[in-house]
Amino acid sequence: QVQFVESGGGLVQPGGSLRLSCATSGIIFDIYTMAWYRQAPGKQRELVAQITSDGTSTNYPDSVQGRFTISRDNAKNTVYLQMNSLKPEDTAVYYCHTKRLFSNYWGQGTQVTVSS
């Protein structure tokens, strides 16, 4: 019932840009805070961006501040992650996420590889 589908990943050179999309279904999208996480091999999953249900507040760690922008289109039940000035250390699988009271929901992930 709940389904998140990420897209937009791929191979990009350092300094390049990508826009990730997460299409959701099965939730009342506009009442949930949404987030993007990433996980590189051998590393823990980390939050890279978060946005409130109405899109008025966002949160980023220092590692991506000023380079990544999360946004959402509640009419389309979709959340986006614009990634600029990409660095090799941004290479990871990126996941869309939200949380209900006792459940976490994740997409399947989309691979982002930053390499020359």
Side-chain angles (χ1 to χ4, degrees), residues 24-100:
T24 75
S25 61
I27 62 168
I28 305 174
F29 180 77
D30 61 1
I31 68 170
Y32 286 99
T33 293
M34 298 295 298
W36 288 93
Y37 286 74
R38 68 185 180 189
Q39 188 166 28
K43 299 180 67 176
Q44 67 181 23
R45 192 169 295 187
E46 64 173 341
L47 178 72
V48 296
Q50 189 173 50
I51 187 167
T52 54
S53 60
D54 63 0
T56 60
S57 182
T58 57
N59 182 50
Y60 308 92
D62 290 343
S63 59
V64 308
Q65 188 82 239
R67 300 188 299 118
F68 289 12
T69 302
I70 188 171
S71 62
R72 66 193 295 160
D73 186 341
N74 286 357
K76 297 180 179 179
N77 296 337
T78 300
V79 61
Y80 305 94
L81 185 67
Q82 179 67 46
M83 304 185 294
N84 299 325
S85 301
L86 283 162
K87 305 174 181 179
E89 50 263 47
D90 296 319
T91 296
V93 178
Y94 284 72
Y95 298 91
C96 182
H97 168 266
T98 197
K99 187 183 187 304
R100 286 182 171 174

